[in-house]
Amino acid sequence: MIHEIIPVGMLQCNCSLFGEETTGEALVIDPGDQIDDILRALAKHRLRLKAIVITHAHIDHIGGAAKLKSATGAPVYMNAQDQDLYDHLGAQAGWLGVPEPESTEIDAPADEGGAILLGETPFHILHTPGHTQGSISLWIPAENKLIAGDTLFRDSIGRTDLPGGDSRQILRSIHSKLFTLPEAAVVVPGHGPNTTIGREKERNPFLRRI
Ligand SMILES: [Zn+2]
């Protein structure tokens, strides 16, 4: 499986591109910005975009979704509990002092227990609210990888002081949905370097059990 992490935009959101060599299909997760770079990476690997998946509706993760969808025709998956945040993309742009990007219809829900298939490989959807109410993580057992959005970072967790944030809920999400995954699972956070579940259990100052 091809996996490229492309940090995009002013806040360097980790956009993930996964490609299945046998079928030539791809998934793009969190196309926040720099859609031309994402399109170039798809072309380089000769991949056809099957779906766009949004871990949560903050502008740095979803800002380029409309542009990527119109360039490829791929449907956009997002948890419906973040629709209200997406409806306020203009306000989010205002917080960052950037122009409001175009927005699009969400085509399919990303709900707990669901999965998106890339070839025969399931990307399992885990609803992990706390950073936002509609935050999801994607667990790919075949790759032993977790796409964590802004829920879990190396040595940190997502901020909960923005609208829709809940500090107790994010801890519950991490302990109940993410820390039950294998210790060796690689975590690809929404920003910054990769880590593993085992490392964060042991060293993350927000999560160590005292
Ligand atoms: Zn965020």
Side-chain angles (χ1 to χ4, degrees):
M1 172 103 47
I2 295 160
H3 181 198
E4 277 201 34
I5 299 171
I6 308 170
V8 296
M10 191 167 78
L11 299 176
Q12 294 284 281
C13 162
N14 285 328
C15 171
S16 269
L17 181 160
F18 284 93
E20 174 57 68
E21 294 97 330
T22 50
T23 59
E25 288 179 336
L27 284 185
V28 166
I29 303 166
D30 286 354
D33 203 348
Q34 293 176 231
I35 298 309
D36 292 342
D37 292 337
I38 297 167
L39 291 171
R40 251 193 304 278
L42 287 166
K44 179 181 77 181
H45 296 294
R46 299 173 191 281
L47 295 167
R48 185 178 63 259
L49 189 59
K50 184 189 179 190
I52 299 163
V53 188
I54 305 299
T55 62
H56 65 291
H58 281 155
I59 189 169
D60 53 323
H61 295 256
I62 200 171
K67 188 173 173 189
L68 185 58
K69 178 178 162 176
S70 62
T72 60
V76 179
Y77 288 72
M78 186 185 84
N79 187 281
Q81 288 192 53
D82 265 9
Q83 185 65 50
D84 190 52
L85 263 181
Y86 193 36
D87 291 341
H88 292 83
L89 202 58
Q92 294 193 48
W95 302 338
L96 290 180
V98 298
E100 180 180 354
E102 192 193 333
S103 56
T104 183
E105 293 288 303
I106 300 303
D107 301 288
D111 292 332
E112 171 71 27
I116 298 163
L117 282 179
L118 181 59
E120 310 222 311
T121 305
F123 285 55
H124 295 283
I125 297 161
L126 310 175
H127 182 217
T128 47
H131 176 62
T132 67
Q133 287 307 297
S135 281
I136 61 163
S137 302
L138 292 155
W139 166 231
I140 314 138
E143 299 287 304
N144 205 29
K145 268 182 190 163
L146 177 79
I147 304 298
D150 284 358
T151 298
L152 179 61
F153 299 111
R154 183 176 167 113
D155 292 327
S156 191
I157 61 174
R159 60 190 288 185
T160 52
D161 57 330
L162 296 171
D166 182 323
S167 57
R168 293 170 65 96
Q169 197 181 32
I170 196 170
L171 294 175
R172 241 185 347 261
S173 290
I174 293 169
H175 284 292
S176 68
K177 304 264 179 79
L178 305 188
F179 278 5
T180 49
L181 299 173
E183 305 258 313
V186 171
V187 178
V188 181
H191 304 267
N194 288 359
T195 182
T196 62
I197 292 291
R199 185 190 182 282
E200 294 318 302
K201 270 188 190 174
E202 201 175 302
R203 298 206 210 162
N204 191 311
F206 297 90
L207 299 164
R208 274 187 306 220
R209 299 241 188 229
I210 299 156

